[in-house]
Amino acid sequence: PPLYRSNEDNPYGDGTKKVPGKTLKEYRQALVEVLNAYQIPILDIKDIMGKGENNPLLEDGLHPNDAGHHKIAELIVEYIKSKRA
C-alpha cells in the first residue's frame, strides 16, 4: 500500500484535484481489502518508512530518497525470505 502522505485525509489529494474524490487513506484501505479477498500477501511498509518532513528516508515527506529505496529493498528481501521458510 502507498506510503503516508502529510495530507492523506484530503479528498482533493495533494491539492491539485479540482473535484474531491477518495482520500489516500480510503484508497489504501480498498487496496488492502482486495488483496485480502484474493489472499495476496501484503508487505505494508508505511509504518516502517514513517511519515513527515525531515524524515531521513524520504525526499519530500512522501517519496523515498536513496536511503529510503535501500531500506525498502532490505524489507522486500526480508519479507521474501520469511515466506520461503
Side-chain angles (χ1 to χ4, degrees):
L3 298 176
Y4 287 113
R5 186 176 67 209
S6 60
N7 59 348
E8 67 179 43
D9 292 323
N10 185 346
Y12 290 92
D14 62 1
T16 59
K17 288 183 185 177
K18 304 276 189 233
V19 177
K22 299 292 184 186
T23 66
L24 181 61
K25 187 184 283 185
E26 291 171 315
Y27 281 116
R28 186 184 297 118
Q29 183 58 39
L31 177 60
V32 169
E33 288 173 11
V34 170
L35 293 172
N36 285 335
Y38 287 96
Q39 299 178 344
I40 298 172
I42 301 169
L43 173 57
D44 190 350
I45 63 171
K46 70 183 181 316
D47 290 326
I48 296 169
M49 292 297 290
K51 43 175 132 167
E53 307 293 326
N54 302 319
N55 182 324
L57 299 175
L58 303 176
E59 186 73 29
D60 55 4
L62 172 63
H63 300 95
N65 57 22
D66 288 345
H69 284 291
H70 184 77
K71 180 66 177 176
I72 291 170
E74 288 176 345
L75 293 169
I76 291 170
V77 169
E78 289 173 26
Y79 184 77
I80 291 170
K81 285 181 179 179
S82 75
K83 295 299 177 185
R84 297 173 110 189

